[in-house]
Amino acid sequence: MLIGSFGSWFHIAHTPGYVGLIRAIATFVSLFGEFLNFTIPLLILAFVAVGLAELGKKANKLFGITLALAYGSTIIAGFAAYFLGSTLLPRLMHAIGSKAIEGKSFEPIFTITMKPVFPIMTSLVLAFVLGLSMANLKTPTLMNAMQDLKQIIVLVLEKVIIPLIPFYIAGTFAKIAASGELIPTITIFAKLYVCILCLQWVYILFQFTVASGWRKENRWKDLKNILPAYFTALGTQSSAATIPVSLQSAENNGIAPDVRNFVVPLCATIHLAGDTICLTLGSMGIMMACGLHPTLNLYVPFIFMLGITMVAAPGVPGGGVMAALGIIKSMLGFNASMCELIIALHLSQDSFGTACNITGDQAVAAIVDYIDNKDRHDDPRIPETSTDSADSVTAE
């Protein structure tokens, strides 16, 4: 509604008064974008470093298996999105030009350059070094400092960036509307939205097909017990907030207590296939709309790096796009206006991406449960009929 009102308003005429107002909006968008660029490297450093350090502390036999399955699933989702996009998007997308997207006919009244403390890739490498080091060394002082930095970034996100993002997106579409390209842009968004949602649903079915083949039994029946968690994720837009419902769904599907109590919370942090599908397909569509060609050579390293960067996503209000924005800019070459569009696209479908994530967690839990049983040389577990606590283990 807000975007539509901007479109109709700014399409009236290019009188000096309207041009001045649009330039004022362009100034806000420019300043906010500069501040966002300044914050992203700090966000990556704090969230990725702390996330890797905390993962490293979970010295559990099942950790490596769960990590491999979650990362592999995320990577497969990324490549599935790329190949679907390279097949369908050229037929669905049409280039509207980067100039129209940027709205360059309405320059900001003034600009302020806010240079980041360090480049994005430097931030990412430093986060890996610090995170892995903190995971293997006893460095409480450094860990406390990084957690304090993380809390500061969270405060900035919650009090400044997240509240202003809707106005940032509306300003972006106002510039597009003033350029006369609002309808083509909305059409592109609608096509991308449908492609992303359909692939997310198909990928959920694929994950449970793999789980069924691995366990040599029908795990598709689990989906009916996962519906409460799916709809909870649609409402909360948070994998972490959905964990209690996800644990109940795993219990209803017969996943052993020790496995579900470990795998479900862990996968809520590291398994983000839904976000990966959105970011891969969405970025490809935006590139094509700008007349660029997303090649496999460009996306192979991006997808592998995206799977790692997603570790930071659950701790970032607003979803995976905030954590991934750094590599989207550095590896795909997105400019400020293209970043505005990928943020808008991701936020519009974040609920479904989160629901895809937590549903896939159940398939990973089913596979880990089977591997755990096999390693113990036990018969497959029988679904518990009695109530057990979070720390209890079914007696053998």
Side-chain angles (χ1 to χ4, degrees):
M1 183 180 296
L2 182 60
I3 293 173
S5 62
F6 268 123
S8 59
W9 188 25
F10 289 115
H11 207 64
I12 296 175
H14 283 217
T15 63
Y18 283 109
V19 171
L21 184 56
I22 298 172
R23 291 189 64 198
I25 293 174
T27 303
F28 165 75
V29 172
S30 174
L31 293 175
F32 186 86
E34 287 287 333
F35 182 70
L36 192 61
N37 292 336
F38 173 82
T39 306
I40 290 299
L42 298 175
L43 183 152
I44 291 175
L45 175 61
F47 281 85
V48 174
V50 173
L52 290 175
E54 291 177 344
L55 287 180
K57 293 179 180 179
K58 299 177 181 177
N60 189 294
K61 180 180 180 181
L62 300 180
F63 172 70
I65 297 173
T66 306
L67 180 63
L69 289 172
Y71 183 71
S73 174
T74 301
I75 297 305
I76 292 172
F79 280 107
Y82 174 81
F83 288 115
L84 176 67
S86 60
T87 302
L88 292 182
L89 293 185
R91 305 173 186 177
L92 298 176
M93 300 292 106
H94 64 279
I96 59 178
S98 58
K99 183 176 181 179
I101 289 178
E102 295 174 10
K104 287 188 175 180
S105 57
F106 303 98
E107 296 292 340
I109 299 172
F110 66 92
T111 60
I112 298 177
T113 302
M114 307 177 198
K115 291 185 178 180
V117 179
F118 28 65
I120 289 170
M121 289 308 297
T122 301
S123 174
L124 195 57
V125 173
L126 182 59
F128 289 156
V129 172
L130 293 179
L132 294 175
S133 298
M134 289 187 294
N136 291 278
L137 302 174
K138 294 182 178 180
T139 55
T141 302
L142 179 58
M143 185 64 175
N144 290 336
M146 295 305 299
Q147 288 176 333
D148 288 343
L149 176 60
K150 178 180 177 180
Q151 291 178 359
I152 293 172
I153 299 300
V154 167
L155 184 64
V156 172
L157 288 168
E158 291 179 344
K159 301 298 183 182
V160 180
I161 293 180
I162 298 303
L164 290 179
I165 274 184
F167 300 97
Y168 178 62
I169 294 172
T172 298
F173 278 92
K175 294 193 302 176
I176 295 173
S179 301
E181 293 290 346
L182 180 64
I183 299 303
T185 303
I186 295 297
T187 301
I188 288 173
F189 262 52
K191 293 176 181 178
L192 286 174
Y193 201 96
V194 171
C195 290
I196 290 168
L197 290 183
C198 289
L199 181 56
Q200 287 173 345
W201 291 330
V202 170
Y203 194 69
I204 288 173
L205 299 178
F206 167 76
Q207 291 176 98
F208 280 88
T209 300
V210 172
S212 297
W214 201 307
R215 296 188 57 129
K216 300 179 177 62
E217 62 182 7
N218 178 22
R219 302 305 300 190
W220 284 43
K221 58 184 176 59
D222 294 353
L223 290 171
K224 67 178 185 300
N225 293 325
I226 301 172
L227 288 177
Y230 185 90
F231 288 111
T232 300
L234 287 180
T236 63
Q237 297 185 2
S238 170
S239 296
T242 312
I243 287 176
V245 185
S246 297
L247 287 172
Q248 184 61 52
S249 296
E251 179 181 356
N252 294 339
N253 287 327
I255 306 301
D258 53 342
V259 173
R260 67 173 180 259
N261 292 332
F262 174 76
V263 173
V264 170
L266 178 59
C267 282
T269 304
I270 63 176
H271 185 215
L272 289 96
D275 291 89
T276 301
I277 288 172
C278 173
L279 293 172
T280 303
L281 265 176
S283 62
M284 291 178 69
I286 292 171
M287 289 182 70
M288 291 180 184
C290 292
L292 304 175
H293 181 59
T295 63
L296 182 60
N297 289 337
L298 184 66
Y299 268 82
V300 166
F302 171 74
I303 291 172
F304 279 101
M305 188 62 72
L306 187 60
I308 299 174
T309 309
M310 286 291 96
V311 171
V316 183
V321 67
M322 300 303 297
L325 202 57
I327 62 171
I328 290 174
K329 294 175 60 179
S330 62
M331 301 186 75
L332 299 184
F334 271 40
N335 58 29
S337 298
M338 295 167 73
C339 287
E340 294 166 11
L341 292 181
I342 193 66
I343 290 173
L345 178 65
H346 184 274
L347 291 180
S348 68
Q349 70 82 59
D350 192 32
S351 295
F352 290 96
T354 302
C356 178
N357 295 337
I358 63 94
T359 305
D361 295 348
Q362 300 288 328
V364 173
I367 295 175
V368 174
D369 184 54
Y370 177 79
I371 294 174
D372 184 48
N373 284 331
K374 187 176 181 181
D375 288 344
R376 296 181 189 181
H377 304 286
D378 289 333
D379 292 331
R381 296 181 189 267
I382 300 174
E384 295 96 337
T385 56
S386 60
T387 302
D388 44 29
S389 64
D391 297 324
S392 66
V393 179
T394 303
E396 299 289 333

